Amino acid sequence: MSISVLLADDQHLVRAGFRSLLRRGRDIEVVGEASTGDEAVRAARKLRPDVILMDIRMPGMDGIAATRLLAGEGPKIIILTTFETDEYVFAALAAGASGFLTKEIDPEGLRTAVRVVAAGDALLSPSVTRRVVGEYAHRPVPAAATPGGNRLAVLTDREREVVRLVATGLSNDEIARQLVISPLTAKTHVTRAIAKVGVRDRVQLVIVAYEDGLVG
């Protein structure tokens, strides 16, 4: 069964380029396109894609607002950003995105990213996580996560340690090597932490870790 993707970007050439690259993956199908946040929301609710590639800066409703409206409705959202100049990446993650990509990503990296989020994981590479989340975690995030005391108190010591490593950008395999456990055990700790804290995914878990002072 193919992974359905919606492209949301105000630049036609960008959409055409991503469409061409994604079509080379036999397990990926581009089912629709949008040039504004409003169009993205309407298209997402009509087409029910598995994944949305969402640009942040679009006319009218921007990608953050569109992401916030669609969070919890089913599709996994990957934010597209120029990274060096975009100040809204953290807000987009807090709004419900599963990760983000720079528009300079290589073709195979793009297809892999779509597969990763479609499978329920998050795009949190070490370099991008440390730089972006570390920079924006303590800034006000409009209408995003609401602080509510120490939400990590429900975790065991081991789970807290795993969450701390997740928040520094380590993958399950890297966490496993550092803690001398199996990758499956690392993944299990992450999954349990997500359930206990009551967040949607790995991205939200990282945000809570920063907001509650576990890292920072």
Side-chain angles (χ1 to χ4, degrees):
M1 186 175 180
S2 62
I3 301 169
S4 57
V5 177
L6 171 67
L7 302 177
D9 193 292
D10 63 336
Q11 297 184 44
H12 175 76
L13 288 178
V14 171
R15 299 198 307 274
F18 281 143
R19 182 173 64 248
S20 176
L21 294 176
L22 290 172
R23 282 178 174 172
R24 298 177 189 176
R26 296 184 178 180
D27 57 336
I28 300 174
E29 178 186 7
V30 176
V31 296
E33 298 183 20
S35 60
T36 69
D38 301 273
E39 289 180 5
V41 171
R42 290 194 296 269
R45 289 172 173 169
K46 177 181 179 181
L47 300 171
R48 299 295 179 183
D50 299 312
V51 177
I52 301 174
L53 292 181
M54 181 86 75
D55 187 25
I56 286 184
R57 297 172 178 175
M58 293 183 286
M61 181 188 297
D62 64 18
I64 296 175
T67 295
R68 190 174 296 120
L69 284 175
L70 294 171
E73 293 191 11
K76 304 293 184 180
I77 300 173
I78 301 175
I79 293 297
L80 299 173
T81 175
T82 54
F83 183 64
E84 293 294 336
T85 59
D86 208 323
E87 297 182 353
Y88 307 105
V89 173
F90 183 80
L93 292 177
S98 293
F100 47 88
L101 296 173
T102 62
K103 293 184 179 180
E104 293 76 25
I105 189 170
D106 62 88
E108 189 53 41
L110 176 65
R111 292 187 288 269
T112 297
V114 168
R115 295 180 184 118
V116 165
V117 298
D121 209 339
L123 294 174
L124 288 172
S125 67
S127 61
V128 175
T129 299
R130 293 187 187 110
R131 179 168 177 176
V132 176
V133 179
E135 181 175 354
Y136 296 112
H138 300 295
R139 293 187 178 188
V141 180
T146 53
N150 186 1
R151 290 160 290 178
L152 302 180
V154 296
L155 303 181
T156 65
D157 289 342
R158 173 62 87 178
E159 288 166 348
R160 286 174 63 87
E161 177 64 9
V162 169
V163 171
R164 185 185 67 78
L165 295 175
V166 169
T168 63
L170 297 190
S171 67
N172 289 340
D173 287 346
E174 292 167 331
I175 292 171
R177 287 194 293 271
Q178 183 155 330
L179 298 181
V180 195
I181 58 179
S182 72
L184 179 59
T185 298
K187 182 178 181 179
T188 298
H189 283 312
V190 174
T191 301
R192 288 176 177 171
I194 289 172
K196 285 184 177 182
V197 177
V199 292
R200 182 180 55 257
D201 55 26
R202 197 179 183 104
V203 173
Q204 298 293 305
L205 190 63
V206 169
I207 293 171
V208 170
Y210 273 89
E211 289 180 339
D212 284 11
L214 182 63
V215 288

